[in-house]
Amino acid sequence: MKSTSAQEPHPAATRRYAISVMFRDQVGIVADVASAIQRLQGNLLDVSQSVLQSYFSMILLADFRQETQEEQILQALRSLPSLQGASFGILACPESATDTAPVSRDDTYVLTASGPDRPGMVASLSAYLKERDINIVDLSSRSHEGIYTMIWQIQIPPALDVQKLQRSMQLAFQPNMEIGLRHDALFRVTNEI
C-alpha cells in the first residue's frame, strides 16, 4: 500500500516500525489495519498474515514520518471499532536494520518435517537449527488428525554441507519425524507443477 505520489513525495526522514495484530478471525481485519496506517501516512513494506484455528495474526513493517510516535500508531489501531479487544504490539526498528539486504535465494532451503503430534517438536527442531547457525526465515505448521506437519524456509550458511546436514537431521529425528530438505527454487518448481 504505497502512499507516495508525484504531488506528495514520501518524506526522506522516516521511522520504521514492526507492528503485530492478534484477534479472533473476521472479515476485513487487513483492510481496517491498512486503512489506519494509511491515515497516518504510513507506507506498508512487508506483511505476513495467517489464521490459526480461528485466530487471526499479522505482523507488518511500515515506514512513518519521523514525527509519528508509537503511541499514535497504537491509538489509531485501538480506536478501530471492528477491532475492539484486539492485541496490538509495536517495536521501533533500529536505523541499522532498515536497509537490510534481501534474503539470498542461493542459501535458502525448504525443510519439511512431519510425525505423530507430541509436545516439543518445534522446540527440538528449532534448537537443532540454532546450534548450526541456521536461520529460520519463515515457518508454517499444522496439527491434523494426530499428525504434525511443518514447512520451514531456512537459510543454511554456505560453509555447511547440505547433504551432510540432511543425513544428520534424518538420523537425529527419525523414527519420530520424517525430514525433507530441498533448495527453495526446486521446492517452488515442484510445487507449481
Side-chain angles (χ1 to χ4, degrees):
M1 168 154 291
K2 301 288 183 187
S3 60
T4 59
S5 70
Q7 297 171 339
E8 281 187 282
H10 202 276
T14 60
R15 184 177 292 176
R16 184 164 297 171
Y17 292 99
I19 301 168
S20 64
V21 181
M22 289 185 290
F23 200 46
R24 66 184 178 278
D25 188 34
Q26 63 187 31
V27 172
I29 297 175
V30 173
D32 293 343
V33 170
S35 294
I37 289 170
Q38 183 182 29
R39 283 192 293 276
L40 290 172
Q41 298 180 343
N43 184 35
L44 285 178
L45 303 169
D46 209 347
V47 178
S48 179
Q49 178 262 314
S50 188
V51 175
L52 307 173
Q53 296 187 8
S54 79
Y55 286 91
F56 175 96
S57 64
M58 176 169 64
I59 187 164
L60 59 91
L61 289 177
D63 280 346
F64 293 86
R65 292 179 182 218
Q66 190 69 33
E67 63 271 15
T68 305
Q69 299 298 312
E70 291 179 32
E71 193 52 45
Q72 288 176 274
I73 300 166
L74 286 173
Q75 182 57 38
L77 294 170
R78 289 179 181 141
S79 67
L80 293 168
S82 60
L83 294 178
Q84 295 303 302
S87 176
F88 300 102
I90 189 164
L91 178 67
C93 299
E95 287 185 26
S96 61
T98 60
D99 293 320
T100 56
V103 173
S104 168
R105 291 280 180 211
D106 292 341
D107 301 329
T108 304
Y109 289 78
V110 174
L111 169 64
T112 57
S114 65
D117 192 0
R118 67 184 192 291
M121 293 177 75
V122 173
S124 61
L125 189 51
S126 59
Y128 180 93
L129 297 175
K130 179 182 176 182
E131 288 171 6
R132 286 149 183 85
D133 201 30
I134 296 172
N135 188 35
I136 301 167
V137 179
D138 196 9
L139 70 89
S140 176
S141 64
R142 180 155 299 168
S143 179
H144 181 69
E145 296 181 357
I147 300 297
Y148 198 75
T149 304
M150 300 174 273
I151 302 174
W152 304 24
Q153 189 178 40
I154 59 175
Q155 280 183 297
I156 298 177
L160 282 181
D161 183 310
V162 175
Q163 291 179 340
K164 286 182 181 177
L165 175 67
Q166 185 165 11
R167 285 192 299 273
S168 169
M169 281 192 296
Q170 289 170 342
L171 289 172
F173 293 101
Q174 285 182 348
N176 298 321
M177 277 192 255
E178 287 186 34
I179 301 281
L181 185 63
R182 286 188 274 175
H183 193 275
D184 184 69
L186 179 61
F187 183 84
R188 289 178 186 278
V189 168
T190 57
N191 284 288
E192 288 173 3
I193 294 175

